[in-house]
Amino acid sequence: MAVFAGKILRDSDFKRDVVEKVVQRCLLVFGKEVSESFVSCIQCGMCTGSCPSGGRTILNTRQIVLSLNLETVYRYFDRSELWYCTTCYTCQERCPRKVRITDLMRAVRNIAVENGYMSKEHRAVIRYLYETGHSVPIREDVKELRAKLGLPEVPPTTHQYGKALEEVRKLMEELNYAQYGEEG
Amino acid sequence: MAEYAFFLGCLMPNRYPGTEVSTRKVFEKLGVKLVDMDGASCCPAPGVHGSFSLVAWATLAARNLTLAEELNADIVTCCNGCYATLLEANHLLKENAELRELVNGKLKTVGREFKGKIEVKHVVEVLLDPEIAGIEKIKDSVVKPLKGVKAAVHYGCHFLKPSERRSLHESVENPAVLDKLVEALGPTSTSYSTKIMCCGAGGGVRSGNRELTDSMTLDHVKAMRKAEADLIVTPCVFCQFQFDAGQTELEELREEERIPVLHITQLLALAQGFKPDELGIPSHKVPAVKLLEKLK
Ligand code: SF4
Ligand code: SF4
């Protein structure tokens, strides 16, 4: 029996496979020094104390690292605080045990997204990327401003090159990434 | 003449073209050539798309990197987010064979391959590189020092962190490099309590939890006002966007309490004698009228 975030946990609450997915994702993208780092956590709380979001919300970074070790991290999937981290890296820089917290945070979010937990605002960002190649696409008034400043009205990005946009779309499809842009 | 592949990203060309035009002018003045990366996309944002799918993030970043590889030029960027993504993805893809193979497998479907032959630089890094420009050459290019102005210098997170891959090797807890650059242009850098805190916009927080983002911005502005700042200077167009647009979203802040925001390349261009109109400054949401009057 263990207590996590004030709740007594049952055997069925420990989900090794979710932690394994986070570890595998980190291993693939960042390598071993990240994927194995959380086991060194001594629960000192430096991360939580340093966190600009944690100072004003219920985000508790130390507990998220704990949940990786307890195999209860899946419990964060449907909690809004998982998305309160601004990826500022303050905790990761200050952690005395070199836990790669911000990298792990992104990996945990990846697995949450794969399990269908994603806000409609975030889906919209992916949709913009698919439709235009930009997460923040151009607007008519900015086109005018660009022209006034002597820049081409449309920047020389996917906005100007249709073939480039096709490449981005093709990649997003190949990666099964475009689907997340659809309404969930 | 030094030559760089100019990575635009999203916010600079699509919201703050004044920063784009300033960078182009400043580099021309310093004799550094910028080549456009035709067909580049979103970097994609490290804390946003990286949070959704690290594999998609790395692959789309790799596609952008291949555009610079084709130009045989190192990348320069004016956004800490673009810098973080392209720098990190470039390193990871160079170092990690398994990831590179996976990503190159995807890139093959669009006829591309990541080769790992270029580097990624932040605009401030390039400006301060004595072999490219350097602080002395920058000082020599100043014709209109912006004296009598107090600047709140905001570094932004990904300019300095994670520190392990940053070639500036600047302290993340007590950085000074940008303050020195700002002071070389005339203003004094005023110290304020939230200096190394995040602007609040990263990690998908601005798109998903605007109130949280803006609450961090409010803390910054309060601290900056206490330090009597006339101006916010940042090397990141995403922080620029958050401070400029964010201040106008804050009900707690009266209009006259807002502090104008400039990207470091806009400040440099002003000091080099370019007019505010040429640099898109009047298009910012927080007007810089009072500040510009002070400079007359
Ligand atoms: S700072 Fe590091 S060691 Fe301390 S609680 Fe956070 S993750 Fe654990
Ligand atoms: S990276 Fe995220 S969790 Fe860490 S201090 Fe910054 S906001 Fe908090």
Side-chain angles (χ1 to χ4, degrees):
Chain A
M1 196 175 81
V3 178
F4 172 72
K7 286 195 186 102
I8 294 174
L9 302 178
R10 298 180 307 264
D11 280 358
S12 58
D13 285 329
F14 302 96
K15 293 202 171 156
R16 171 98 217 121
D17 56 321
V18 171
V19 181
E20 199 46 46
K21 277 187 184 142
V22 174
V23 169
Q24 287 308 322
R25 181 61 42 87
C26 283
L27 189 63
L28 170 67
V29 177
F30 303 113
K32 238 163 90 165
E33 68 276 21
V34 175
S35 68
E36 288 178 0
S37 67
F38 63 88
V39 299
S40 311
C41 172
I42 52 167
Q43 289 290 295
C44 69
M46 174 66 95
C47 48
T48 300
S50 301
C51 179
S53 281
R56 60 193 79 222
T57 67
I58 52 167
L59 170 61
N60 185 330
T61 312
R62 177 185 59 77
Q63 281 197 349
I64 294 185
V65 181
L66 175 67
S67 76
L68 282 165
N69 283 304
L70 278 181
E71 302 173 3
T72 50
V73 71
Y74 77 94
R75 290 183 154 234
Y76 283 98
F77 282 2
D78 64 352
R79 293 202 192 169
S80 50
E81 74 249 45
L82 181 61
W83 296 91
Y84 291 168
C85 163
T86 65
T87 68
C88 76
Y89 287 94
T90 310
C91 54
Q92 182 162 316
E93 287 290 325
R94 290 184 184 171
C95 172
R97 300 291 295 159
K98 293 200 161 41
V99 178
R100 301 283 286 266
I101 309 163
T102 317
D103 295 338
L104 288 160
M105 188 76 84
R106 286 192 290 170
V108 172
R109 287 172 166 185
N110 274 207
I111 308 305
V113 165
E114 277 167 27
N115 281 280
Y117 296 95
M118 191 176 210
S119 72
K120 66 177 194 311
E121 290 85 0
H122 286 154
R123 287 183 192 279
V125 178
I126 296 184
R127 199 159 56 243
Y128 294 145
L129 183 64
Y130 185 78
E131 283 166 3
T132 69
H134 286 285
S135 299
V136 182
I138 191 109
R139 279 189 326 226
E140 284 310 312
D141 59 318
V142 184
K143 282 189 193 169
E144 276 170 39
L145 175 61
R146 290 183 60 88
K148 232 172 72 188
L149 294 171
L151 294 166
E153 232 181 58
V154 176
T157 62
T158 45
H159 272 328
Q160 205 180 103
Y161 295 92
K163 190 184 154 282
L165 179 57
E166 282 314 311
E167 282 183 21
V168 170
R169 288 186 175 172
K170 170 102 181 144
L171 286 172
M172 288 179 75
E173 284 159 12
E174 286 287 325
L175 291 154
N176 292 322
Y177 192 49
Q179 57 163 339
Y180 293 114
E182 286 153 27
E183 303 292 344
Chain B
M1 186 151 92
E3 194 177 299
Y4 285 92
F6 191 22
F7 185 78
L8 300 180
C10 295
L11 279 164
M12 184 169 68
N14 298 341
R15 290 294 179 276
Y16 288 82
T19 299
E20 178 182 336
V21 85
S22 301
T23 308
R24 292 183 190 276
K25 287 186 191 303
V26 162
F27 273 63
E28 199 185 328
K29 197 142 234 180
L30 294 168
V32 184
K33 195 173 170 205
L34 292 178
V35 188
D36 283 330
M37 292 171 63
D38 290 342
S41 68
C42 174
C43 55
V48 185
H49 294 284
S51 289
F52 303 157
S53 164
L54 284 160
V55 175
W57 165 80
T59 308
L60 293 168
R63 179 185 167 276
N64 284 324
L65 291 164
T66 65
L67 296 174
E69 288 182 348
E70 277 169 10
L71 297 170
N72 225 336
D74 290 344
I75 288 177
V76 66
T77 149
C78 299
C79 171
N80 290 359
C82 300
Y83 177 57
T85 278
L86 297 175
L87 182 81
E88 188 181 21
N90 199 33
H91 271 286
L92 293 171
L93 288 161
K94 281 183 189 181
E95 285 159 15
N96 183 341
E98 202 187 324
L99 178 67
R100 188 169 61 241
E101 233 170 75
L102 176 77
V103 164
N104 270 337
K106 302 289 177 197
L107 286 179
K108 210 172 168 194
T109 65
V110 296
R112 297 191 171 273
E113 187 192 353
F114 172 86
K115 298 198 175 78
K117 38 176 215 178
I118 56 130
E119 300 292 333
V120 177
K121 306 277 178 193
H122 192 285
V123 66
V124 173
E125 242 179 305
V126 173
L127 288 172
L128 290 177
D129 185 342
E131 280 173 27
I132 311 295
I135 200 102
E136 291 312 317
K137 199 169 167 189
I138 287 174
K139 274 186 188 160
D140 288 345
S141 77
V142 170
V143 295
K144 207 169 164 264
L146 303 128
K147 294 275 183 211
V149 172
K150 277 192 189 168
V153 177
H154 174 84
Y155 283 74
C157 302
H158 300 151
F159 179 54
L160 303 167
K161 297 175 281 189
S163 57
E164 58 197 341
R165 298 190 204 280
R166 300 293 184 275
S167 50
L168 270 175
H169 302 297
E170 182 60 345
S171 157
V172 302
E173 299 290 349
N174 192 18
V177 56
L178 192 61
D179 302 77
K180 283 185 199 147
L181 176 57
V182 168
E183 296 209 323
L185 307 177
T188 46
S189 166
T190 181
S191 83
Y192 62 102
S193 61
T194 59
K195 184 153 178 165
I196 60 166
M197 187 177 88
C198 175
C199 73
V205 179
R206 188 179 161 88
S207 52
N209 295 285
R210 177 76 57 88
E211 261 174 63
L212 173 55
T213 294
D214 285 349
S215 84
M216 288 192 218
T217 300
L218 180 63
D219 282 3
H220 277 296
V221 178
K222 280 185 186 159
M224 289 163 171
R225 287 188 56 79
K226 235 186 199 162
E228 298 175 341
D230 308 299
L231 165 70
I232 302 170
V233 185
T234 173
C236 171
V237 79
F238 197 33
C239 299
Q240 175 178 26
F241 170 58
Q242 176 51 28
F243 280 116
D244 189 43
Q247 285 189 86
T248 66
E249 290 157 8
L250 284 165
E251 279 170 24
E252 296 87 341
L253 217 57
R254 290 197 307 275
E255 217 174 308
E256 64 273 20
E257 290 176 324
R258 297 172 189 161
I259 310 171
V261 190
L262 294 180
H263 191 276
I264 183 70
T265 60
Q266 286 179 309
L267 187 73
L268 175 52
L270 273 180
Q272 287 179 335
F274 293 103
K275 301 275 167 294
D277 286 357
E278 297 175 275
L279 310 174
I281 294 172
S283 72
H284 294 182
K285 292 202 168 181
V286 179
V289 183
K290 267 208 287 203
L291 170 77
L292 296 170
E293 254 163 33
K294 218 169 169 173
L295 294 174
K296 266 186 191 152

